[in-house]
Amino acid sequence: MDKRITELYMYIFSIKEFDHEVVKGNLGNNRGELIWRSNLKHLNLYESLRGDCDIIGWASADDPSNILSLLKELKSSIRGKGEIVHSFLSIYQRSPYLKNSLNIEKQINESRKKYIIAYPMSKSNDWYLLPYDQRKRIMDEHIRTAMTDPNNKDILSYTTYSFGIGDQEFVVIYETDSLYSWMKVTEKLREVEARKWIIKETPILTGIRIE
């Protein structure tokens, strides 16, 4: 299997600005150079809708050393102008509960969705002690509920894994053009059985794309 698909590293981060708009302008103007210097697959930037940070970033690379290079570039670029508030490292792989294929790099680079929603997530220990067939049945309901919801017309989802490399087990990332539609789908998913094993889904980072 293609290494780029099985080992695509994801990095979600947020930055608090000390001076309004300074870091945003700096990163926005130098986004292409950051991608080139760190050998990234992509780097999207968003204005944060949270009160504790101003900018949200979403990067991907096929080697963790490239994520480290980005982190060093960020720290150098924002020194004295801002600080990193949140950061989540994870690895993308296809869900064991899904069979269809996805060209993840192509989808990310071609998407121009307005909003990002990203957050760390963990499940209780009891979840992993359930037989696989039972977990698959539960997740099939979760996926079916999301996919068939009438509000789910434009939402792109990326489940990424961080077992042993972060403080969480998953980092889930969504792109959408409608926060209202996203909220309605999420509300419906609160009714499915899979919710019983979720123990953490914060902080939720929500942002508007910076073009």
Side-chain angles (χ1 to χ4, degrees), residues 30-44 70:
N30 294 288
R31 188 179 72 91
E33 185 175 350
L34 282 171
I35 293 173
W36 177 73
R37 289 171 65 92
S38 300
N39 196 22
L40 303 176
K41 293 297 182 180
H42 95 289
L43 173 62
N44 291 349
L70 171 64

Side-chain angles (χ1 to χ4, degrees), residues 17 40 93 95 108-109 121 166 207:
E17 292 183 304
L40 303 176
Q93 64 179 17
S95 167
I108 291 173
N109 281 299
M121 189 260 283

Side-chain angles (χ1 to χ4, degrees), residues 76-142:
S76 176
S77 177
I78 69 174
R79 184 176 294 117
K81 305 169 188 174
E83 64 181 359
I84 297 174
V85 180
H86 310 99
S87 62
F88 310 116
L89 175 66
S90 57
I91 303 173
Y92 176 84
Q93 64 179 17
R94 290 298 293 159
S95 167
Y97 309 108
L98 292 173
K99 294 182 179 179
N100 58 310
S101 60
L102 172 68
N103 187 329
I104 182 69
E105 292 180 28
K106 185 173 185 290
Q107 178 169 295
I108 291 173
N109 281 299
E110 291 185 354
S111 172
R112 290 297 180 268
K113 300 295 184 184
K114 184 175 182 179
Y115 302 103
I116 189 175
I117 303 100
Y119 53 87
M121 189 260 283
S122 294
K123 296 182 178 180
S124 68
N125 293 336
D126 292 342
W127 170 256
Y128 300 101
L129 300 179
L130 295 176
Y132 172 78
D133 288 345
Q134 184 176 353
R135 283 184 282 139
K136 187 176 187 308
R137 175 188 62 78
I138 293 169
M139 290 307 300
D140 282 348
E141 179 202 17
H142 177 91

Side-chain angles (χ1 to χ4, degrees), residues 17-31:
E17 292 183 304
F18 298 156
D19 294 314
H20 186 58
E21 299 284 305
V22 171
V23 174
K24 173 190 170 184
N26 189 18
L27 293 181
N29 291 334
N30 294 288
R31 188 179 72 91

Side-chain angles (χ1 to χ4, degrees), residues 183-195:
M183 185 274 292
K184 296 301 292 183
V185 174
T186 303
E187 180 184 23
K188 189 65 177 178
L189 288 173
R190 292 299 187 263
E191 302 173 6
V192 302
E193 188 178 1
R195 290 296 304 170

